[in-house]
Amino acid sequence: MRATLIDGKSLAATVRAAQRNAIDALAARGVRPGLAAILVGSDPASRVYVRTKARACEETGVRSEIHEFPDGVSEKALLERVAQLNADPRVHGILVQLPLPRQLDSNRVLEAVSPAKDVDGFHAMNLGALLQGRTGFVPGTPAGVMRMLEHAGVPLAGKNATIVGRSTIVGKPLALLLLQKDATVTICHSKTRDLAAVTRQADILIAAVGRAKLIHAGMVKPGACVIDVGTNRLADGKLAGDVDFESVSAVAASISPVPGGVGPMTVAMMIANTVRAAELSIG
Ligand code: GUN
């Protein structure tokens, strides 16, 4: 049996189409949502991600601007720009593309973004709100994964949800969101003993480590739902997820692909956060 495909690309188009109604309502009140993306350095992947997000914004009706800085930019210069953007009424969302070059303290830069404009949900105030189960901005990737599970009709209450990867922008916030839905959550990482024994218990398995094809069929419980957050660039330039799609789709009940899975959902949820930030700015 082949697994059902969880098509993130098509769901993301639906999410973005739904934003257009909200954007029209804002236009009637004289507001156009605006996103400012800060891009530091020449990392090709970061440049592609920022351009993709800016294009998706424009296509959806959100104004976008990209603020580019060289690799060697000082923290002071970056913080000054963040302060300007915080004060700019045309900018409702600010995102700082990660990773930043090593001389910069990422946490200090992220904390400088106004929590009301933090559409990536990376500010401690928004991550803290998530921990407390209050409403704030939820990071796009975990929010997108939850939306995909909901759309696919995957039951969560009482189910074993296992996340491979403990990052602050995916693994940890996703664990909190799954807990809110009453899943029994396990987070695995590089020190986890017998990873396969743990992942084989998962009704919902989420791979977010950044190791191409780490998850193979022998690590997956038959009938599980598998969500692939990985975006790994192979030597031949092709994009590969953390999941070996071919072998795992013969075992899983449902699976998300790479590309065309979580990636487009991350962008769509960030845009939804920007529209919400614009709505909140006018009360
Ligand atoms: N780097 C990897 N993923 C992300 C993301 O979702 N947002 C930002 N700003 N940087 C990233």
Side-chain angles (χ1 to χ4, degrees), residues 46 49 53 95-99 110 120 122 140-141 169-170 266:
S46 286
Y49 287 137
K53 290 178 207 181
L95 76 79
V96 180
Q97 184 64 30
L98 301 178
L110 293 175
D120 254 340
F122 294 170
T141 301
I169 68 177
V170 184
T266 297

Side-chain angles (χ1 to χ4, degrees), residues 15 23 34 56 113 132:
V15 170
I23 290 169
V113 174
Q132 293 174 329

